[in-house]
């Protein structure tokens, strides 16, 4: 049996060792296919990262697919049942690094657009592709830079599907219509180092911090809303002490992270954390890292089109969720358009033996194609 166009393209992409931020020729493969369909191509290289923007048509609305050609490292190859960069089919699953995150999606997008344009060469609006090779890395020179360049010239994406693996059990059972924001605080509480036998000459920053940390950890930050779970506060790292059992530490370092809903923003969180710390009279220094704003795409043209396409293929509607880590969707959402994520089952992503169901790739291709038909015909 010959491979379907989606499967053949997915295999071609997986066979290229595009470990982040290396693209390994994946984007050229996509570019050649899109050029043949009449797309205008713009390669955008920023530092070590290759990106491209492709567009077919000049009219509004501008609908775009977004994704990444880079993959996470294979890790210990000995643990893989099949070589990570040699695509293999086993029991109806396509195996290889990137099969689910997200070369399968990229193949589905390209083939969906090919089939759509064959049927509707004079479609309404415009179709775009925003593809990066730095999503799995530090995301400094990827999607965010392309978005900045497009916004600068007023070329805003109105509607976007990001191909991240959004599904849990069958493709399309979950569509992500937003993501939580993320913010990290690095707190240093200052004390006075000394001998544990002479506590009156020292000041223990661990003891001083406990009540404040307890309050931070037990605070109800918000109750979430229709689409978002309540904001969560977690302490992933703490550090104090010299290792000796007779020394009171001079400093206590605590790192905490909040995953927050659209009920909050960076400023409110910074203010509320400061209020709690100040209440406990701590001498401290606090550095913040803003990892991303939350975004939400509520009911509207794009969500309707995607939900109806998924429903037509699966005979059942997708759940709309905002769970999971941050994604490049947060950068695209800055253009104030609608952004959703629809892609394969994410059970094996970043793991050894990453794989995707071959049938799911065909279904995903159909879902993408029907979304285009719902929006641009
Ligand atoms: Zn991904």
């Amino acid at each position: 049996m010959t491979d379907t166009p989606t499967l053949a393209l997915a295999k071609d992409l997986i066979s290229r060792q595009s470990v982040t931020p290396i693209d390994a020729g994946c984007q050229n493969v996509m570019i050649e296919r899109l050029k043949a369909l009449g797309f205008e191509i713009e390669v955008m290289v920023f530092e070590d990262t290759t990106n491209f923007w492709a567009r077919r048509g000049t009219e509004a609305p501008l609908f775009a697919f977004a994704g990444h050609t880079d993959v996470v490292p294979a890790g210990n190859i000995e643990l893989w049942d099949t070589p990570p960069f040699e695509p293999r089919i086993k029991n109806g699953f396509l195996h290889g690094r990137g099969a689910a995150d997200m070369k399968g999606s990229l193949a589905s997008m390209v083939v969906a657009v090919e089939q759509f344009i064959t049927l509707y060469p004079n479609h309404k609006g415009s179709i775009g592709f925003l593809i990066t090779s730095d999503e799995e890395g530090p995301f400094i020179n990827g999607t965010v830079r392309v978005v900045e360049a497009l916004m600068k010239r007023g070329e805003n994406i109105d509607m976007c599907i990001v191909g991240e693996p959004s599904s849990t059990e069958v493709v399309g059972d979950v569509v992500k219509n937003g993501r939580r924001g993320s913010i990290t605080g690095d707190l240093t509480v200052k004390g006075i180092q000394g001998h544990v036998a002479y506590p009156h000459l020292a000041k223990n920053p661990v003891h001083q911090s406990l009540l404040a940390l307890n309050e931070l950890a037990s605070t109800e930050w918000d109750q979430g809303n229709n689409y978002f779970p309540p904001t969560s506060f977690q302490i992933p790292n703490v550090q104090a002490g010299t290792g000796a059992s007779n020394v009171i530490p001079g400093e206590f370092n605590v790192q905490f992270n909040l995953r927050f809903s659209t009920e909050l923003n960076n400023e409110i969180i910074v203010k509320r954390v400061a209020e709690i710390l100040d209440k406990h009279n701590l001498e401290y220094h606090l550095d913040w890292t803003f990892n991303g704003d939350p975004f939400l795409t509520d009911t509207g043209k794009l969500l309707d089109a995607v939900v109806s396409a998924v429903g037509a293929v699966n005979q059942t509607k997708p759940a709309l969720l905002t769970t999971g880590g941050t994604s490049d969707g947060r950068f695209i959402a800055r253009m104030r358009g609608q952004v959703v994520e629809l892609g394969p089952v994410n059970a094996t992503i970043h793991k050894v033996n990453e794989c995707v169901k071959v049938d799911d790739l065909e279904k995903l291709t159909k879902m993408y194609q029907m979304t285009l038909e719902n929006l641009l015909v």
Side-chain angles (χ1 to χ4, degrees):
M1 207 174 73
T2 51
D3 291 344
T4 62
T6 304
L7 181 56
L9 180 52
K11 281 181 169 175
D12 184 357
L13 294 172
I14 291 169
S15 67
R16 294 162 197 269
Q17 299 200 21
S18 57
V19 174
T20 191
I22 294 166
D23 166 64
C26 292
Q27 292 185 15
N28 271 336
V29 171
M30 296 178 70
I31 285 171
E32 287 312 312
R33 302 277 284 253
L34 295 173
K35 257 190 194 162
L37 296 170
F39 277 79
E40 299 277 337
I41 311 291
E42 208 175 327
V43 175
M44 298 191 191
V45 179
F46 300 110
E47 311 286 333
D48 59 356
T49 304
T50 308
N51 311 283
F52 80 85
W53 167 245
R55 179 168 178 160
R56 185 183 198 268
T58 53
E59 304 287 304
L62 170 55
F63 168 89
F65 286 108
H68 60 90
T69 51
D70 59 326
V71 296
V72 294
N76 184 354
I77 292 176
E78 306 284 301
L79 297 174
W80 286 70
D81 294 340
T82 62
F85 297 102
E86 290 174 27
R88 301 268 174 88
I89 310 276
K90 267 177 61 184
N91 305 324
F93 283 81
L94 170 62
H95 284 252
R97 173 57 85 223
D101 188 9
M102 56 176 282
K103 289 175 170 176
S105 314
L106 297 177
S108 298
M109 290 169 182
V110 170
V111 173
V113 168
E114 286 174 344
Q115 292 173 357
F116 174 73
I117 289 173
T118 305
L119 290 172
Y120 306 98
N122 303 313
H123 61 82
K124 291 195 277 191
S126 306
I127 304 172
F129 273 80
L130 194 173
I131 305 297
T132 182
S133 67
D134 124 296
E135 203 274 340
E136 303 289 9
F139 38 78
I140 291 168
N141 294 309
T143 301
V144 64
R145 297 283 297 267
V146 180
V147 165
E148 279 166 11
L150 293 177
M151 283 176 81
K152 216 170 168 182
R153 62 189 193 216
E155 191 175 359
N156 290 313
I157 297 172
D158 300 304
M159 293 176 277
C160 182
I161 292 184
V162 184
E164 287 298 339
S166 61
S167 307
T168 9
E169 272 161 36
V170 291
V171 64
D173 60 356
V174 173
V175 167
K176 299 245 164 109
N177 67 326
R179 290 276 189 158
R180 289 180 292 181
S182 169
I183 183 173
T184 302
D186 285 289
L187 173 69
T188 303
V189 178
K190 294 190 174 77
I192 298 170
Q193 187 175 318
H195 196 298
V196 292
Y198 302 94
H200 55 289
L201 300 177
K203 195 163 122 186
N204 192 326
V206 178
H207 295 192
Q208 298 222 300
S209 306
L210 287 177
L211 285 176
L213 293 180
N214 186 45
E215 189 170 340
L216 287 169
S218 56
T219 289
E220 182 183 80
W221 299 90
D222 62 26
Q223 299 188 321
N225 54 36
N226 276 348
Y227 291 113
F228 286 88
T231 292
S232 83
F233 172 97
Q234 290 295 324
I235 298 177
N237 291 297
V238 294
Q239 201 177 13
T242 59
S245 63
N246 59 357
V247 180
I248 291 171
E251 268 187 9
F252 184 26
N253 300 101
V254 182
Q255 188 185 59
F256 49 83
N257 175 273
L258 291 101
R259 295 297 161 114
F260 59 99
S261 77
T262 42
E263 299 295 306
L264 292 179
N265 60 41
N266 290 328
E267 279 161 37
I268 298 174
I269 291 170
V270 167
K271 191 165 156 272
R272 283 178 62 185
V273 168
E275 279 167 7
I276 291 172
L277 294 175
D278 292 341
K279 199 166 89 185
H280 291 273
N281 292 319
L282 299 177
E283 195 190 328
Y284 67 90
H285 178 80
L286 178 55
D287 289 318
W288 287 104
T289 307
F290 305 111
N291 309 307
D293 290 321
F295 72 90
L296 177 69
T297 293
D298 212 337
T299 325
K301 260 192 176 169
L302 177 63
L303 203 53
D304 291 351
V306 170
V307 167
S308 129
V310 171
V313 174
N314 281 357
Q315 313 307 327
T316 167
K317 280 190 175 181
L320 303 177
L321 297 179
T322 57
T323 50
T326 59
S327 82
D328 273 359
R330 73 196 135 136
F331 300 126
I332 299 163
R334 288 181 188 169
M335 297 170 149
R336 308 231 165 270
Q338 304 163 53
V339 182
V340 302
E341 299 177 19
L342 169 61
V345 172
N346 54 31
T348 61
I349 62 170
H350 295 206
K351 298 184 180 175
V352 298
N353 299 326
E354 179 177 348
C355 61
V356 65
K357 210 175 184 179
V358 175
D359 281 351
D360 280 2
L361 292 183
E362 301 311 314
K363 286 182 184 168
L364 187 61
T365 306
K366 229 176 247 168
M367 290 168 185
Y368 287 158
Q369 186 186 339
M370 290 178 81
T371 302
L372 286 167
E373 290 171 6
N374 291 340
L375 291 171
L376 301 181
V377 175

